[in-house]
């Protein structure tokens, strides 16, 4: 069973992107784990903009969940599983529509994520998969799925999704290109 199906088979929101690369699935998935592939300056700018209200409020003395935290990034995602020939899966649990993302850390994400439920909560699964094409090249794909635990979470998350989706899609497409380029530059 694919990791994405194992960890989040049911979802209300989904986004998929793909790119073709001249590298093996393993090389691409290994590159997806490298900081030079995941640390995109454009993504950092969008995240700074997204976090600006909470950080400004914190600087003004208002309670801020982000004031003493580094900017949001892939380091926030919990590793769920890896099959380095086919797929990587990462999870995120929280109330993403809140100024501070309302993140929940699980003690054992590999065993807890799939069944974790709490009211007014969303689970996000970020997946990378790679498959060899008949011409020898590789299709690298990313899929993001989001499951809202109840109607309240769905009402809160839906406008947030439609607001961030264009930027999220741009970030995912840039991430795929960066992974492809890093894999190409790290030849053995």
């Amino acid at each position: 069973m694919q990791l994405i199906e194992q960890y989040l088979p049911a979802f209300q929101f989904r986004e998929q992107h793909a790119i073709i690369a001249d590298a093996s699935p393993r090389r691409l998935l290994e590159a997806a784990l490298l900081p030079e592939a995941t640390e995109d300056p454009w993504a950092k700018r969008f995240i700074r903009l997204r976090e600006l209200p909470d950080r400004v409020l914190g600087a003004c003395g208002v309670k801020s969940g982000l004031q003493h935290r580094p900017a949001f990034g892939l380091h926030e995602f919990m590793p769920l599983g890896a099959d380095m020939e086919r797929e990587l899966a990462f999870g995120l649990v929280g109330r993403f529509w809140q100024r501070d993302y309302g993140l929940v850390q699980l003690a054992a994400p590999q065993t807890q994520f799939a069944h974790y439920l709490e009211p007014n909560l969303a689970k996000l699964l970020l997946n990378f998969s790679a498959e060899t094409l008949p011409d020898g090249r590789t299709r690298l794909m990313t899929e993001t799925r989001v499951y809202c635990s109840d109607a309240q979470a769905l009402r809160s998350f839906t406008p947030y999704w439609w607001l961030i989706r264009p930027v999220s899609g741009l970030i995912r497409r840039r991430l795929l290109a960066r992974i492809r380029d890093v894999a190409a530059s790290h030849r053995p």
Side-chain angles (χ1 to χ4, degrees), residues 52-125:
L52 185 64
D54 191 74
R55 293 191 185 277
V56 167
L57 288 171
C60 294
V62 176
K63 183 180 177 192
S64 165
L66 299 176
Q67 186 175 8
H68 301 292
R69 283 183 20 205
F72 181 85
L74 285 178
H75 65 276
E76 302 280 4
F77 285 77
M78 298 173 279
L80 297 176
D83 171 349
M84 295 309 289
E85 299 298 328
R86 294 183 332 166
E87 186 179 19
L88 298 171
F90 302 91
L92 197 60
V93 178
R95 293 170 181 89
F96 313 126
W97 54 90
Q98 292 180 357
R99 287 190 334 250
D100 68 355
Y101 306 100
L103 296 181
V104 174
Q105 289 299 316
L106 303 179
Q110 293 83 8
T111 57
Q112 293 177 294
F113 184 86
H115 304 289
Y116 187 82
L117 285 179
E118 190 178 304
N120 193 28
L121 185 87
K123 294 192 298 186
L124 182 149
L125 186 125

Side-chain angles (χ1 to χ4, degrees), residues 40-50 174:
D40 180 14
W42 280 93
K44 287 181 180 184
R45 286 184 188 110
F46 287 125
I47 289 167
R48 270 191 238 121
L49 183 61
R50 154 60 173 95
R174 288 180 57 85

Side-chain angles (χ1 to χ4, degrees), residues 15-188:
E15 182 176 358
Q16 297 176 296
H17 301 281
I19 195 168
I20 305 299
D22 290 320
S24 70
R26 175 176 284 280
R27 185 173 297 137
L28 288 163
L29 294 174
E30 287 172 350
L33 298 172
L34 297 174
E36 58 263 38
T38 59
E39 293 179 5
D40 180 14
W42 280 93
K44 287 181 180 184
R45 286 184 188 110
F46 287 125
I47 289 167
R48 270 191 238 121
L49 183 61
R50 154 60 173 95
E51 294 180 350
L52 185 64
D54 191 74
R55 293 191 185 277
V56 167
L57 288 171
C60 294
V62 176
K63 183 180 177 192
S64 165
L66 299 176
Q67 186 175 8
H68 301 292
R69 283 183 20 205
F72 181 85
L74 285 178
H75 65 276
E76 302 280 4
F77 285 77
M78 298 173 279
L80 297 176
D83 171 349
M84 295 309 289
E85 299 298 328
R86 294 183 332 166
E87 186 179 19
L88 298 171
F90 302 91
L92 197 60
V93 178
R95 293 170 181 89
F96 313 126
W97 54 90
Q98 292 180 357
R99 287 190 334 250
D100 68 355
Y101 306 100
L103 296 181
V104 174
Q105 289 299 316
L106 303 179
Q110 293 83 8
T111 57
Q112 293 177 294
F113 184 86
H115 304 289
Y116 187 82
L117 285 179
E118 190 178 304
N120 193 28
L121 185 87
K123 294 192 298 186
L124 182 149
L125 186 125
L126 173 62
N127 178 268
F128 294 98
S129 61
E131 67 177 345
T132 304
L133 299 172
D135 66 3
R137 296 183 302 162
T138 302
R139 177 182 294 120
L140 177 65
M141 296 162 284
T142 181
E143 182 172 344
T144 302
R145 292 181 177 182
V146 179
Y147 174 79
C148 296
S149 63
D150 57 23
Q152 182 180 1
L154 189 59
R155 279 191 304 274
S156 297
F157 184 77
T158 299
Y160 178 74
W161 173 259
W162 291 112
L163 179 66
I164 61 106
R165 187 167 185 212
V167 172
S168 174
L170 174 64
I171 289 171
R172 298 291 189 275
R173 287 188 299 275
R174 288 180 57 85
L175 180 57
L176 288 173
R178 290 175 67 84
I179 292 168
R180 178 198 60 208
D181 295 347
V182 167
S185 69
H186 281 83
R187 299 226 180 247

